[in-house]
Amino acid sequence: NAGVTQTPKFRVLKTGQSMTLLCAQDMNHEYMYWYRQDPGMGLRLIHYSVGEGTTAKGEVPDGYNVSRLKKQNFLLGLESAAPSQTSVYFCASRGGGGTEAFFGQGTRLTVV
Amino acid sequence: AQKITQTQPGMFVQEKEAVTLDCTYDTSDQSYGLFWYKQPSSGEMIFLIYQGSYDEQNATEGRYSLNFQKARKSANLVISASQLGDSAMYFCAMREGKAAGNKLTFGGGTRVLVKP
């Protein structure tokens, strides 16, 4: 049982490069979320989706874009990476109501 | 404004003692839920316990219990009989309802270190 899978697990980018992080879930969940976690801090919500074809901004959306073309996938894009985007990125998904959110294993991104 | 506030950045607790982690939240939504997650040094997020805004009883899961005080907007986590393996970061999170966009937001976390 895969749950939530994030690709890649690690990545080093040069300033100005672009990349896409993929989050895939196999639980038929409606809701999906992207967070970033900086050292010693909590998870800050970047963007989220309440269903296929929908996206919404979270607390720190600047510099990121997202798409949810298929229900099972939620993509996070960085068009022009900056050192301030060095972080660990977590994806999560959950079903409706009081169900827990399931997390991916995280992607450690370093922008040099 | 912060939606979820955890005022204790770090705590020490003696093995086998109980510890209470504070969490206060802010929402105007009537339907919401509160979660606690544990993040050990390995980095994964582990679900501990959930409390719905309409639940009348405080949630319990094994050694974890949630002290839900709706009027005070607090949802404190109590860990009983602490074990060395409880050393980790603990995050409080809130799921808001449709009116607030169905967001799931997290507090800044509390680091717990259990001493033998």
Side-chain angles (χ1 to χ4, degrees):
Chain A
N1 52 349
V4 180
T5 303
Q6 291 182 229
T7 310
K9 293 183 176 56
F10 303 93
R11 185 74 186 266
V12 178
L13 280 182
K14 292 183 179 178
T15 298
Q17 286 184 321
S18 64
M19 78 164 294
T20 300
L21 282 69
L22 170 63
C23 178
Q25 53 97 0
D26 61 2
M27 296 170 282
N28 201 36
H29 284 167
E30 288 295 330
Y31 305 103
M32 296 186 76
Y33 307 86
W34 274 108
Y35 298 90
R36 61 176 288 173
Q37 185 179 28
D38 298 318
M41 297 182 69
L43 280 71
R44 291 186 291 169
L45 182 63
I46 305 172
H47 286 282
Y48 64 105
S49 169
V50 301
E52 182 178 313
T54 75
T55 63
K57 293 180 180 180
E59 305 164 273
V60 289
D62 294 343
Y64 306 95
N65 56 75
V66 287
S67 65
R68 183 124 181 248
L69 298 179
K70 292 183 179 181
K71 188 176 185 179
Q72 64 267 35
N73 295 337
F74 194 29
L75 279 64
L76 178 71
L78 287 74
E79 288 188 350
S80 180
S84 60
Q85 294 178 305
T86 293
S87 191
V88 178
Y89 291 84
F90 283 99
C91 174
S93 74
R94 69 175 186 91
T99 55
E100 68 187 269
F102 293 82
F103 282 80
Q105 73 275 38
T107 295
R108 186 172 296 275
L109 174 67
T110 302
V111 182
V112 297
Chain B
Q2 285 276 51
K3 289 276 192 176
I4 296 279
T5 303
Q6 296 180 250
T7 57
Q8 306 151 309
M11 299 182 71
F12 287 101
V13 59
Q14 202 66 42
E15 192 178 10
K16 299 181 185 176
E17 291 186 350
V19 61
T20 298
L21 307 184
D22 295 341
C23 173
T24 58
Y25 59 92
D26 181 25
T27 183
S28 56
D29 209 347
Q30 295 302 307
S31 175
Y32 56 90
L34 297 149
F35 302 81
W36 278 91
Y37 281 82
K38 172 184 178 181
Q39 186 181 45
S41 57
S42 53
E44 72 265 34
M45 296 292 287
I46 301 168
F47 167 74
L48 296 178
I49 197 166
Y50 170 80
Q51 179 88 39
S53 59
Y54 295 119
D55 294 341
E56 294 187 352
Q57 302 273 1
N58 284 344
T60 59
E61 289 286 349
R63 293 187 299 111
Y64 304 107
S65 60
L66 200 152
N67 184 1
F68 182 47
Q69 297 189 44
K70 195 170 182 177
R72 292 187 174 185
K73 293 190 174 179
S74 76
N76 298 340
L77 177 70
V78 180
I79 306 174
S80 63
S82 296
Q83 301 172 355
L84 296 179
D86 294 335
S87 294
M89 282 288 285
Y90 289 82
F91 294 102
C92 180
M94 176 173 64
R95 166 198 65 79
E96 293 180 273
K98 189 174 182 180
N102 291 292
K103 292 180 183 177
L104 177 64
T105 52
F106 283 74
T110 296
R111 183 173 300 280
V112 173
L113 185 59
V114 180
K115 299 187 291 183

